[in-house]
Amino acid sequence: MLVKDKECHYVNSLNDSDQCNFVKNASDCQNNESYINYIQFLYCSFGSGETEGPLIIMVVWVIIMFIGLGVTADDFLCPALVVISKTLGLSQNVAGVTFLALGNGAPDIFSSLAGIQQQRPQLVIGALFGAGIFVTTVVAGSICLSQEFSTKRFSFLKDMVFYLGATYWTFYLFSKKEITLTDAIGFLVLYVIYITIVIVGQIIYQKLKKRQRANAIINQEEVSSVASIQDELDNRQPGVSFSCTSPVDENQHSHSLVGSHLEHFISQVINTPQTSKEYENTKGSVATREVADCVPRELLTNSMEISPWKDFLLHLSPFEIQEWNSKSWFFRIFEVVKAPVYLILTVTTPVVDYKNNRDNWCRYLNVLQSFTSPMVIFTATGKFSVVFGNVFPLWVLMSLISLLLAILVFITSSNHTPPVYHWIFGYVGFGVSVTWIYTLANEIVSLLQAAGILMNLSDAVLGLTVLAWGNSLGDLVSNMSVARMGFPQMGFSACVGGPLLNLLLGFGLSYTLTLAEAGHSVKVQFTRQIELLYGTLTTSLVSTFIILPLFKFRVKHVYGVYLLLIYLVFIILAILMELHIV
């Protein structure tokens, strides 16, 4: 057999001196889906067979790319989805199970699309099932350990039934070793049925709540308590007007925007009331929390009158300036590592955030983004080397168009007031965010392929470990954040609803697009790792389905320990299975 026809794993059977030459000539070692050929980088960059140095670099690089995925989805894509939902006039129910679900599941969905396009279904199923196991055990277990709470019966049972059905459907398709276009569309149909039930259920729930509120009696004692505290503050600070804001007040803004967009997105999802009166009616007496958030209104006004260049630099800042001293050393290191990623994303990706000052409008930054955003999308399409008539490069034309667009934005806007077309930047931010996420997902999948070849690991194991962990970091952060904000029930529910939507959209959308383009069914392998994935996930879901009703839907600390033990056993079995010990 010729060298170019051999499988890439054959490189490990060669002498170190021959490995670089092999990966350069073997067809199976070539990858046109990524910007970097990680296999050649691994086996050739430090000399043939010298893989330790390149492997260390690749580990650091994949961590940075996972950070990029999470930051892009949380701080850039999610605010854009809120803008799209508002401008299209979508109700919060529809937006929550469509656009906002896409924002939360973007890393999983685009990683699935990249894996299927690279014909690596084992990696996809490992990532989707592996992430589902991680979120329903580790993340859910962590929430259970943090506090005890009760769950909503209808919402809990609905999500569990649909998730069990979706996992069984996926397992069945792999067991029959073939996936057709009809099978893939079935996932999307199940998704439509699910969101229909969610929307109808929410409408009925809101009508019942509205009726209850109409019959509710306002607690005069709490109202007078808040008023007296406000009077005390005014007497304590004569001549200064105070703005007592709830945690998500419309006037709330931050000069250092790192992480603020994620917090604002979470407030959109949990539908936190916007006024102190509504917040009081919802949460009871909140006098203490309101006092804690009181800030002089003069400070808000003065902060809005800073110079345009200072405003530009503050928007570019990759650090939380006002909170830096209060952070632990670990998070300071993390902020430093994240800084270059955040800076690149900030320069290229517009963000319209309705909960930031001026909806996050920064004239100089938005003018710069008017040039960089089209160039990012254009570069990602792979048309950078196209030349018209063998004379005029296409990239020059795109640069001129982008420059004219930036000049137009500068001429038609002002420093302190967002223009009437500011909402358009939300749509641009969506396009650029999707471009970044898909590009990073492609690179991660290609890098994992190279790592799998070096360490002789199967795609399923890479999917259920590295790819699943990386894609689940966003769920860990957002779900735990929601729980710490006083909504553990919502964070716990998201541990089932999130992976469910990721599976339906990640598997269904990716295979539907791929099979529609191919025009025929595809063959898949049924392995022991898939049996382990399905068995563990169903164990987690079924045991939850049984135990919580026995606890009268009261989530207790001991159940969190049980969930974490499930994941520990799962990882041990996965390692032993890969080593062919079991």
Side-chain angles (χ1 to χ4, degrees):
M1 182 183 293
L2 298 176
V3 169
K4 65 177 184 178
D5 297 326
K6 291 183 178 293
E7 291 187 359
C8 201
H9 279 85
Y10 182 73
V11 67
N12 295 315
S13 64
L14 300 174
N15 295 326
D16 290 350
S17 58
D18 299 326
Q19 290 180 340
C20 178
N21 185 62
F22 173 81
V23 298
K24 285 183 176 180
N25 293 282
S27 301
D28 192 45
C29 294
Q30 311 308 314
N31 190 337
N32 297 323
E33 300 294 333
S34 61
Y35 289 95
I36 301 174
N37 189 320
Y38 293 99
I39 300 176
Q40 288 189 23
F41 175 80
L42 188 58
Y43 286 96
C44 300
S45 58
F46 281 31
S48 184
E50 299 294 330
T51 58
E52 292 81 3
L55 183 60
I56 295 174
I57 295 175
M58 285 170 59
V59 169
V60 175
W61 180 231
V62 77
I63 292 174
I64 293 174
M65 287 195 291
F66 274 126
I67 292 175
L69 271 182
V71 172
T72 307
D74 291 337
D75 275 342
F76 294 87
L77 178 61
C78 288
L81 295 172
V82 173
V83 174
I84 293 174
S85 300
K86 285 181 176 289
T87 56
L88 293 180
L90 299 178
S91 68
Q92 191 175 40
N93 297 332
V94 175
V97 293
T98 53
F99 285 113
L100 302 187
L102 173 63
N104 281 335
D108 300 88
I109 295 169
F110 284 98
S111 295
S112 300
L113 182 59
I116 290 174
Q117 288 184 339
Q118 295 186 26
Q119 299 180 357
R120 304 177 68 191
Q122 300 291 324
L123 183 70
V124 173
I125 190 63
L128 289 174
F129 272 19
I133 295 170
F134 181 85
V135 174
T136 58
T137 56
V138 176
V139 180
S142 300
I143 294 175
C144 296
L145 290 175
S146 66
Q147 54 192 300
E148 294 188 352
F149 55 93
S150 299
T151 61
K152 292 182 179 179
R153 298 186 181 187
F154 173 77
S155 177
F156 165 75
L157 294 175
K158 166 182 59 67
D159 290 349
M160 294 296 294
V161 169
F162 271 90
Y163 200 9
L164 283 169
T167 54
Y168 172 76
W169 181 243
T170 309
F171 179 76
Y172 168 74
L173 295 181
F174 272 83
S175 65
K176 73 185 185 78
K177 302 179 181 179
E178 183 181 25
I179 301 176
T180 65
L181 181 59
T182 304
D183 296 328
I185 293 176
F187 283 89
L188 301 182
V189 172
L190 190 60
Y191 172 71
V192 172
I193 296 173
Y194 174 79
I195 64 175
T196 302
I197 294 177
V198 170
I199 293 171
V200 172
Q202 285 285 7
I203 292 175
I204 295 174
Y205 173 76
Q206 288 176 355
K207 287 185 176 180
L208 292 175
K209 291 294 289 183
K210 187 176 182 180
R211 187 177 303 171
Q212 292 175 358
R213 288 175 182 174
N215 298 328
I217 300 175
I218 300 177
N219 191 327
Q220 296 293 338
E221 205 169 311
E222 291 181 354
V223 174
S224 60
S225 174
V226 174
S228 63
I229 292 177
Q230 179 64 51
D231 291 337
E232 183 180 349
L233 285 170
D234 289 339
N235 294 331
R236 202 179 296 173
Q237 296 288 340
V240 179
S241 174
F242 278 81
S243 170
C244 292
T245 66
S246 71
V248 288
D249 188 276
E250 291 290 349
N251 291 326
Q252 181 177 348
H253 66 285
S254 170
H255 283 164
S256 179
L257 301 177
V258 182
S260 64
H261 303 311
L262 173 60
E263 295 171 4
H264 297 167
F265 170 69
I266 291 174
S267 73
Q268 292 279 348
V269 175
I270 65 179
N271 194 23
T272 305
Q274 299 303 307
T275 67
S276 59
K277 184 175 180 180
E278 291 175 342
Y279 194 70
E280 176 189 349
N281 291 337
T282 303
K283 296 292 290 181
S285 179
V286 292
T288 304
R289 293 186 63 176
E290 290 185 335
V291 172
D293 291 312
C294 286
V295 293
R297 192 180 298 278
E298 290 180 0
L299 293 181
L300 293 177
T301 304
N302 293 338
S303 66
M304 295 170 61
E305 296 175 354
I306 60 177
S307 68
W309 281 111
K310 185 176 181 181
D311 189 31
F312 173 72
L313 293 176
L314 287 170
H315 272 77
L316 285 182
S317 174
F319 303 108
E320 296 184 28
I321 300 173
Q322 298 171 344
E323 301 178 10
W324 179 261
N325 292 332
S326 63
K327 287 185 175 294
S328 65
W329 64 268
F330 173 81
F331 281 102
R332 291 185 186 184
I333 294 175
F334 179 74
E335 293 289 343
V336 171
V337 174
K338 189 176 71 173
V341 176
Y342 194 89
L343 183 61
I344 293 173
L345 291 171
T346 301
V347 170
T348 59
T349 314
V351 174
V352 178
D353 188 342
Y354 292 127
K355 297 193 178 302
N356 259 29
N357 181 34
R358 300 192 305 270
D359 296 344
N360 205 49
W361 168 256
C362 176
R363 187 188 186 193
Y364 289 2
L365 178 59
N366 284 113
V367 168
L368 175 61
Q369 291 166 339
S370 299
F371 176 82
T372 58
S373 296
M375 294 303 297
V376 168
I377 297 176
F378 169 71
T379 303
T381 60
K383 305 295 183 182
F384 206 82
S385 59
V386 175
V387 178
F388 287 123
N390 296 323
V391 177
F392 194 76
L394 181 58
W395 69 268
V396 175
L397 176 62
M398 283 301 304
S399 299
L400 292 175
I401 294 174
S402 301
L403 181 60
L404 291 174
L405 185 62
I407 294 173
L408 181 63
V409 170
F410 183 81
I411 294 174
T412 59
S413 64
S414 63
N415 293 327
H416 301 296
T417 305
V420 293
Y421 55 79
H422 186 209
W423 59 272
I424 297 177
F425 282 90
Y427 284 78
V428 176
F430 171 80
V432 179
S433 297
V434 168
T435 301
W436 277 120
I437 290 173
Y438 184 66
T439 300
L440 290 170
N442 257 323
E443 294 298 307
I444 289 174
V445 169
S446 298
L447 185 149
L448 292 181
Q449 179 187 18
I453 290 173
L454 175 66
M455 295 181 285
N456 281 318
L457 295 175
S458 65
D459 276 353
V461 171
L462 286 172
L464 67 89
T465 52
V466 181
L467 192 55
W469 294 335
N471 288 343
S472 299
L473 288 178
D475 298 89
L476 177 62
V477 172
S478 60
N479 293 352
M480 288 297 296
S481 297
V482 169
R484 285 195 300 268
M485 290 171 68
F487 299 89
Q489 180 185 96
M490 183 169 290
F492 186 77
S493 297
C495 291
V496 178
L500 165 62
L501 294 178
N502 292 345
L503 178 59
L504 293 177
L505 289 177
F507 204 88
L509 189 60
S510 300
Y511 265 109
T512 297
L513 293 175
T514 302
L515 293 173
E517 182 180 355
H520 57 79
S521 63
V522 296
K523 301 291 184 180
V524 292
Q525 291 182 333
F526 183 70
T527 63
R528 294 181 63 202
Q529 284 85 355
I530 293 177
E531 290 180 326
L532 175 63
L533 285 164
Y534 176 72
T536 305
L537 187 54
T538 52
T539 298
S540 169
L541 296 177
V542 171
S543 58
T544 301
F545 195 84
I546 296 174
I547 294 175
L548 284 192
L550 293 177
F551 286 170
K552 297 182 179 180
F553 295 93
R554 179 74 181 173
V555 179
K556 299 183 178 181
H557 295 312
V558 66
Y559 185 66
V561 176
Y562 167 73
L563 291 177
L564 294 176
L565 287 176
I566 289 180
Y567 193 77
L568 178 61
V569 172
F570 162 69
I571 289 297
I572 293 174
L573 288 176
I575 295 174
L576 295 178
M577 190 173 292
E578 187 68 12
L579 296 175
H580 303 289
I581 297 176
V582 296

